[in-house]
Amino acid sequence: QAEVITISGTVSESDFEIKLIDEFGNKITGTVEPGEKSGSYTAFTASFPSEEIQGSIYSVEVSKDGYTKYVLESVPKENLSEVTIENVVIYAGDLDKDESVGANDMFLLTTNLNKTGTVYDGDLDGDGTISANDMFLLITNLNKTIQTETWSK
């Protein structure tokens, strides 16, 4: 049986990804097992095959298409299994993938209002149509940006 590195925590959304990114930019996508939902947060456990972890310093990234990211930086390889990230909030509305919710995202969404499309067209609630509800989600998150923290033991 192959060894596995496990990271756990809670995130404000469901259907998100957890990636490990080493100092060379190599990305490893974890297998995320969602847990219980408590309030507005979903518990998770993400597993990574230890043989894929070749670098020495990692960033842990929480992401979801159309959302800002959360990044925990500078985690030494030997401390990865100690990482727990709690109450992480990622924000809907980053349609242009620039790590913030801003005017360009609003423009992209309004251009597609009342049309069908994907999250990057502005369908933030996942119902297949870009609507007033999607606009509300984006406006609620205007000026939200990527959240970055540095590992400390």
Side-chain angles (χ1 to χ4, degrees):
Q1 171 119 355
E3 285 198 36
V4 173
I5 300 292
T6 303
I7 293 173
S8 62
T10 55
V11 176
S12 63
E13 295 297 324
S14 56
D15 302 321
F16 51 87
E17 286 188 328
I18 307 287
K19 292 180 183 155
L20 295 179
I21 305 165
D22 70 16
E23 66 268 36
F24 306 108
N26 300 312
K27 296 182 180 185
I28 306 165
T29 301
T31 303
V32 176
E33 292 291 329
E36 299 213 2
K37 193 161 174 67
S38 175
S40 57
Y41 294 96
T42 301
F44 74 88
T45 303
S47 303
F48 302 86
S50 59
E51 70 269 8
E52 291 184 27
I53 299 172
Q54 301 296 320
S56 56
I57 301 289
Y58 282 85
S59 291
V60 180
E61 178 185 278
V62 179
S63 62
K64 181 176 180 174
D65 287 348
Y67 283 67
T68 60
K69 295 177 183 172
Y70 167 86
V71 180
L72 176 63
E73 298 179 326
S74 304
V75 182
K77 177 181 180 175
E78 60 271 12
N79 296 114
L80 282 171
S81 60
E82 299 170 31
V83 171
T84 301
I85 49 178
E86 296 293 337
N87 302 332
V88 167
V89 178
I90 53 176
Y91 298 98
D94 184 17
L95 308 181
D96 62 4
K97 305 177 190 177
D98 71 348
E99 308 301 346
S100 66
V101 181
N104 196 48
D105 302 303
M106 179 72 75
F107 174 76
L108 290 169
L109 190 147
T110 55
T111 300
N112 296 312
L113 207 54
N114 300 317
K115 297 178 187 173
T116 58
T118 68
V119 67
Y120 290 116
D121 298 316
D123 180 26
L124 299 173
D125 62 8
D127 69 358
T129 303
I130 295 89
S131 64
N133 190 51
D134 300 304
M135 180 71 75
F136 175 76
L137 288 169
L138 192 143
I139 290 170
T140 301
N141 295 327
L142 266 179
N143 301 317
K144 300 291 187 187
T145 62
I146 185 171
Q147 298 174 74
T148 306
E149 293 182 317
T150 302
W151 167 259
S152 62
K153 190 172 175 182

